[in-house]
Amino acid sequence: MIIGVPNVGKSSLINALRAKYTAKGNAAPVGAIAGITRSVQNRIKVSESPLVYLMDTPGILTPNIPDNDTGLRLALCSCQQDHLVGIDIIADYLLFLLNKNNRVSYVAYMGLKEPTDSIGTVLTTCAVMLGSYIKTRSVDGRGRVFVPDISSAANYFVKAFRSGKFGKMMLDQDRLTRYSTYRNPVYDVVCILLDTTLSRWKDEGNCYNCSLK
């Protein structure tokens, strides 16, 4: 059974293993947003020898998100659906992170002349560059005018980040640095269990393409 947070590639992993070891097509539906897998799926064969089946599951998260920063990071990675947070808010948080980490490749991509902290400037400039406008009522209420489509530009901005247009970026680097001095006892237990399991498989002749360090 494959278990993990939403939109980290659980279904893609199953499909990749199935394609490699059985030369068959995708059996698990995939998508770029959270919530594609909505229930535990039927078992999927990913190998003939040894015979291995996997089960896909919906993404799981803790019942509550401890703080706004964590929630925004999860939303930026599409671990929850965009409309729950707001695509404009996600875009604003993305701009903050890019500037904080001195990632300014967004400047040229969004049609800007220089880095800026104003998400309004970023999205308006991008919408004009894309020729994306929406018709809305004029201020005096006497007619309709075309204005830059901010939501469309926000989607364009966030999608670019998610597809790697701004390069690879570790959102939790600050947290990893902060906690790197603490040893996680769970890690030790997992290592012991893994070594024991691999040793048993090797002794039984069932260890495929693995090596024990």
Side-chain angles (χ1 to χ4, degrees):
M1 183 174 288
I2 304 295
I3 300 175
V5 300
N7 206 43
V8 294
K10 298 182 295 297
S11 301
S12 296
L13 173 61
I14 292 176
N15 288 335
L17 291 172
R18 177 180 170 87
K20 181 175 181 179
Y21 294 107
T22 68
K24 295 182 179 179
N26 292 351
V30 297
I33 60 174
I36 297 297
T37 305
R38 296 183 176 274
S39 61
V40 176
Q41 305 294 305
N42 294 330
R43 64 180 189 172
I44 300 171
K45 183 186 293 185
V46 296
S47 176
E48 294 281 358
S49 179
L51 186 59
V52 177
Y53 291 91
L54 292 177
M55 296 180 68
D56 200 7
T57 64
I60 55 174
L61 287 172
T62 55
N64 56 4
I65 296 174
D67 53 71
N68 290 336
D69 190 55
T70 299
L72 287 169
R73 294 183 192 209
L74 290 171
L76 183 55
C77 292
S78 196
C79 287
Q80 51 186 330
Q81 296 185 9
D82 292 343
H83 73 272
L84 298 177
V85 177
I87 192 63
D88 54 335
I89 296 176
I90 298 173
D92 194 10
Y93 186 70
L94 170 58
L95 179 63
F96 162 73
L97 286 180
L98 292 173
N99 287 332
K100 177 182 177 182
N101 292 278
N102 198 29
R103 299 292 191 90
V104 296
S105 57
Y106 73 87
V107 173
Y109 190 84
M110 299 296 286
L112 301 167
K113 295 181 179 179
E114 59 184 5
T116 177
D117 291 326
S118 171
I119 190 61
T121 299
V122 172
L123 298 183
T124 301
T125 303
C126 177
V128 172
M129 178 190 70
L130 298 174
S132 180
Y133 296 88
I134 56 174
K135 184 184 289 188
T136 185
R137 187 178 297 275
S138 62
V139 177
D140 58 16
R142 297 180 180 179
R144 297 278 184 173
V145 295
F146 287 94
V147 297
D149 188 346
I150 300 302
S151 293
S152 177
N155 274 297
Y156 180 81
F157 187 32
V158 173
K159 183 178 180 180
F161 169 78
R162 290 172 177 168
S163 61
K165 292 291 192 302
F166 306 138
K168 296 180 180 180
M169 185 173 175
M170 170 64 75
L171 299 185
D172 288 333
Q173 186 61 53
D174 56 335
R175 301 185 180 188
L176 291 175
T177 302
R178 189 187 316 160
Y179 297 117
S180 61
T181 56
Y182 296 92
R183 187 64 178 268
N184 187 348
V186 176
Y187 174 81
D188 293 332
V189 173
V190 171
C191 287
I192 293 173
L193 291 174
L194 182 60
D195 285 343
T196 302
T197 302
L198 290 177
S199 295
R200 187 178 72 251
W201 284 0
K202 187 176 182 181
D203 292 339
E204 295 174 355
N206 295 324
C207 187
Y208 296 85
N209 299 322
C210 67
S211 60
L212 297 176
K213 296 182 179 180

